[in-house]
Amino acid sequence: MKVEGETRSARKERDIVEAATAAFVSRGYDGTSMEEIATKAGVSKQTIYKHFTDKETLFGEVIRASAAQATSAFDAVAALLTEAEFLTGGLQQVARLFMTTLMDEERLRLRRLIIANADRMPQLGRDWYEKGFERMLASMGSCFQQLTDRNLLRTPDPYLAASHFFGMLLWIPMNEAMFTGNKTPRSKADLERHADATVETFLVAYGPQAQGSR
Amino acid sequence: MKVEGETRSARKERDIVEAATAAFVSRGYDGTSMEEIATKAGVSKQTIYKHFTDKETLFGEVIRASAAQATSAFDAVAALLTEAEFLTGGLQQVARLFMTTLMDEERLRLRRLIIANADRMPQLGRDWYEKGFERMLASMGSCFQQLTDRNLLRTPDPYLAASHFFGMLLWIPMNEAMFTGNKTPRSKADLERHADATVETFLVAYGPQAQGSR
DNA sequence: GGTGCAGTACTGGTCGGTCTAGTACTGTGG
DNA sequence: CCACAGTACTAGACCGACCAGTACTGCACC
């Protein structure tokens, strides 16, 4: 990454955040030393402390930067759905896209990093939950709402429906990744098969012809 | 906890594991010192090292002990369902029970502890996943299979249905707990309401009258 | 009197953060 | 185009704290 009019200071800061991200993600918070980050960034420790008051602040910046980078992508994916011509196909596409995006190696590591440090830095975890997790549900929910308005779905509580959608879609792969560190990642084809199966069930429950229960 | 014919050595060992569990769970692996565990257990460091070769081993023992304690409970809960007289009521009962059991403060902390250290100790995470997570799915799955045989459900792939069940049930509360550290736990009533809503949707998708999709 | 343990001191190492002394860069006024 | 001043950066020593794991001493109970 090279940015044109970037001042030296800004460039260094970016180098630091990049190096820190890589280090934290692969060795954890406690497992990463400031020395290590400095070396990786090609920078002296002093410079790090010029830009970030302490390790915790740097860590926060790392998380926030990664989160911001991801947030915008979600709405885009969800938007695909409202424009889709065929419901089933659109849902499948969206499910597959969410699946492969969310099960990305880097993102998973980050996720585990946040969970691991949610105690130490509660604000970070809460931010991620609200700006990442809840936001994803909300945008998917509003999308379901529109489809319901057009009689393509039947979701009395779209937000809940969204949580059911993601829960069914991700429960197995996400838990596997969290607990096993995703050592032997599922193949993309595998994940997409799972996504398709979920869409099928979702449509039985929430499709236009779904019966209310009892 | 007091056990009668327990030798002093065994008693000490149990004290150590108990103290270590409390310490690890509340302060994390790196945040807990052996000194601290020794003090909490009313034991000298030397004694700890007599029973456990090193910190990592002790940690492993802590996790394994807690896991074992939990595993058996699952089958029992699932078994409730095969005996239930009314399907909806039985499912509701089971969903509520799983919900409140799994969302227990202590268990959640343990879960986060394992995720946080899945890198450092891969075997632990895998064990927990196989003996806890997958086992839960399997026993719920075989339960669904029986209900399908009796035409009370319609689950072509019972294991998948179980994952959908748990995913819908737990996606929101589990993620919230993982990321926010469950600082402001949901009320039991809240969780049970969520459980009931999930059961309703699950029955639309998998109840005996559910239509195939498309 | 011997054994096992508590208590504590010690070792070797790591790490966050600071300090210092000197070097490279940058932008302004001549 | 140059000189100079101010700022950012490097390299490395350094400090205090902490910690896993070991060694030793003395007490208390068998």
Side-chain angles (χ1 to χ4, degrees), chain A residues 10-212:
Chain A
R11 191 167 54 244
K12 294 268 175 196
E13 181 162 332
R14 206 171 31 71
D15 287 348
I16 293 170
V17 172
E18 272 172 24
T21 304
F24 282 136
V25 147
S26 77
R27 311 170 64 85
Y29 183 79
D30 289 302
T32 301
S33 75
M34 294 299 266
E35 191 94 35
E36 190 187 334
I37 294 174
T39 307
K40 251 186 203 166
V43 135
S44 83
K45 264 212 296 185
Q46 200 56 237
T47 305
I48 296 186
Y49 283 102
K50 180 145 294 181
H51 288 275
F52 306 94
T53 65
D54 58 14
K55 192 181 183 182
E56 214 169 295
T57 308
L58 174 56
F59 183 75
E61 214 47 56
V62 164
I63 300 298
R64 252 177 279 277
S66 303
Q69 176 187 334
T71 299
S72 58
F74 293 145
D75 296 338
V77 176
L80 279 183
L81 188 49
T82 40
E83 301 156 5
E85 203 163 340
F86 301 104
L87 179 65
T88 304
L91 262 180
Q92 256 178 24
Q93 193 190 356
V94 168
R96 287 170 170 222
L97 214 52
F98 265 117
M99 176 69 97
T100 49
T101 307
L102 289 168
M103 294 307 290
D104 165 76
E105 195 57 40
E106 178 88 1
R107 188 178 307 284
L108 287 174
R109 285 170 179 275
L110 210 66
R111 191 186 165 94
R112 291 173 55 224
L113 196 56
I114 296 169
I115 292 177
N117 295 282
D119 273 334
R120 199 178 340 222
M121 294 158 237
Q123 196 50 51
L124 266 195
R126 183 154 292 279
D127 270 17
W128 179 275
Y129 180 74
E130 285 169 5
K131 300 193 182 136
F133 185 85
E134 287 187 328
R135 167 141 186 191
M136 196 169 83
L137 284 184
S139 76
M140 198 66 175
S142 79
C143 176
F144 285 164
Q145 176 66 62
Q146 287 177 49
L147 291 168
T148 297
D149 291 343
R150 290 162 57 199
N151 284 318
L152 292 172
L153 281 184
R154 195 162 160 285
T155 58
D157 181 342
Y159 189 85
L160 184 69
S163 95
H164 286 167
F165 179 78
F166 285 117
M168 289 195 288
L169 183 65
L170 296 168
W171 185 245
I172 285 185
M174 191 58 85
N175 275 285
E176 184 177 19
M178 290 297 106
F179 283 119
T180 71
N182 212 30
K183 281 297 184 244
T184 53
R186 305 268 185 148
S187 72
K188 204 180 167 199
D190 224 32
L191 292 176
E192 293 188 339
R193 205 169 16 250
H194 188 79
D196 293 349
T198 294
V199 169
E200 210 174 296
T201 303
F202 181 82
L203 282 175
V204 178
Y206 285 116
Q209 80 295 11
Q211 319 148 18

Side-chain angles (χ1 to χ4, degrees), chain B residues 81-136:
Chain B
L81 188 49
T82 41
E83 300 156 6
E85 203 163 342
F86 300 106
L87 178 66
T88 305
L91 262 179
Q92 254 177 27
Q93 195 190 354
V94 168
R96 287 171 172 219
L97 214 52
F98 266 117
M99 176 70 98
T100 49
T101 306
L102 289 168
M103 295 307 292
D104 165 74
E105 194 58 39
E106 179 88 1
R107 185 177 308 284
L108 287 174
R109 286 169 178 276
L110 209 65
R111 191 187 164 94
R112 291 173 56 223
L113 196 56
I114 294 168
I115 291 177
N117 295 283
D119 274 331
R120 200 177 341 223
M121 293 160 240
Q123 197 49 50
L124 266 194
R126 185 153 291 278
D127 271 18
W128 178 274
Y129 180 71
E130 284 167 7
K131 299 194 183 137
F133 186 83
E134 285 187 329
R135 167 143 186 186
M136 197 168 84

Side-chain angles (χ1 to χ4, degrees), chain B residues 73-84 94 98 139-140 142-143 146:
Chain B
F74 293 146
D75 297 338
V77 175
L80 278 181
L81 188 49
T82 41
E83 300 156 6
V94 168
F98 266 117
S139 76
M140 199 66 176
S142 79
C143 177
Q146 287 178 47

